[in-house]
C-alpha cells in the first residue's frame, strides 16, 4: 500500500456510524429491510461520501433489489477512497435480518476472490446465526 492511501485503521472505528447506503454492511441491512423501510430510506437525502456513492434513490432501490437476488452487497470506494467491501446477511429463518458480516480491503475484489470470500462469509454467517439463535431462545 502506498503512503498516499489511508491505512485500514483509518477506514472504520468501532461504534462509528456510517451511512447505510455507502457501505456493504449497510446495504445488506437495507436490502433485507421491509419494503416500507427501503422506500423511506431511498426517499430521503442520500449524502455523497465519495464520487462513487449512490445518491439517487431510484438507483439505490435497484441496487437493494439486486442484493436480495445476489445474497450479498458490495461497496467499491463508496464510503472512502481505496475501500472495497463485501457483506452478507446473518439470517435466522424468515426473520428480519438484524446482522451482517463482511470484509473490507484496500484493493478491488476480483470475481474470483469474491466467490472465495462469499463462500467463507456465508459459512461464518451461518455459524453466527446458530449462536445468536440459541441465545434468543
Amino acid at each position: 500500500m502506498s503512503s498516499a492511501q489511508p491505512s485500514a485503521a483509518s477506514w472504520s472505528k468501532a461504534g462509528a456510524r456510517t451511512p447505510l447506503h455507502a457501505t456493504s454492511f449497510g446495504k445488506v441491512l437495507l436490502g433485507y429491510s421491509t419494503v416500507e423501510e427501503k422506500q423511506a430510506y431511498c426517499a430521503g437525502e442520500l449524502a455523497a461520501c465519495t464520487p462513487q456513492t449512490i445518491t439517487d434513490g431510484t438507483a439505490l432501490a435497484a441496487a437493494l433489489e439486486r442484493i436480495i437476488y445476489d445474497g450479498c452487497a458490495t461497496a467499491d470506494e463508496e464510503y472512502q477512497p481505496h475501500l472495497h467491501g463485501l457483506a452478507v446477511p446473518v439470517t435466522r429463518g424468515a426473520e428480519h435480518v438484524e446482522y451482517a458480516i463482511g470484509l473490507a480491503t484496500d484493493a478491488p475484489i476480483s470475481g474470483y476472490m469474491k466467490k472465495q470470500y462469499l463462500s467463507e462469509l456465508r459459512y461464518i454467517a451461518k455459524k453466527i446465526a446458530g449462536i445468536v439463535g440459541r441465545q434468543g431462545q
Side-chain angles (χ1 to χ4, degrees):
M1 184 162 53
S2 74
S3 61
Q5 294 179 339
S7 69
S10 71
W11 289 338
S12 179
K13 294 181 176 42
R17 293 189 177 259
T18 58
L20 293 175
H21 66 285
T23 66
S24 56
F25 293 91
K27 288 195 276 185
V28 162
L29 296 175
L30 279 173
Y32 284 89
S33 65
T34 67
V35 172
E36 294 80 17
E37 290 169 329
K38 282 187 250 197
Q39 288 173 341
Y41 193 91
C42 291
E45 181 181 344
L46 302 174
C49 299
T50 71
Q52 286 73 36
T53 307
I54 299 172
T55 57
D56 176 74
T58 303
L60 179 60
L64 297 178
E65 289 304 312
R66 185 72 193 182
I67 289 164
I68 300 298
Y69 178 78
D70 291 343
C72 67
T74 60
D76 291 305
E77 298 186 303
E78 294 174 49
Y79 178 57
Q80 290 184 355
H82 313 292
L83 180 63
H84 306 271
L86 177 64
V88 299
V90 175
T91 57
R92 295 184 296 161
E95 292 182 37
H96 182 74
V97 171
E98 298 176 29
Y99 310 99
I101 184 170
L103 59 85
T105 178
D106 64 345
I109 300 170
S110 70
Y112 174 78
M113 290 308 300
K114 180 179 177 180
K115 185 176 179 180
Q116 297 297 315
Y117 291 150
L118 282 174
S119 175
E120 295 298 323
L121 287 170
R122 288 177 175 143
Y123 174 79
I124 295 167
K126 187 174 181 178
K127 293 290 187 184
I128 292 171
I131 293 167
V132 172
R134 286 193 301 273
Q135 291 177 347
Q137 295 177 352

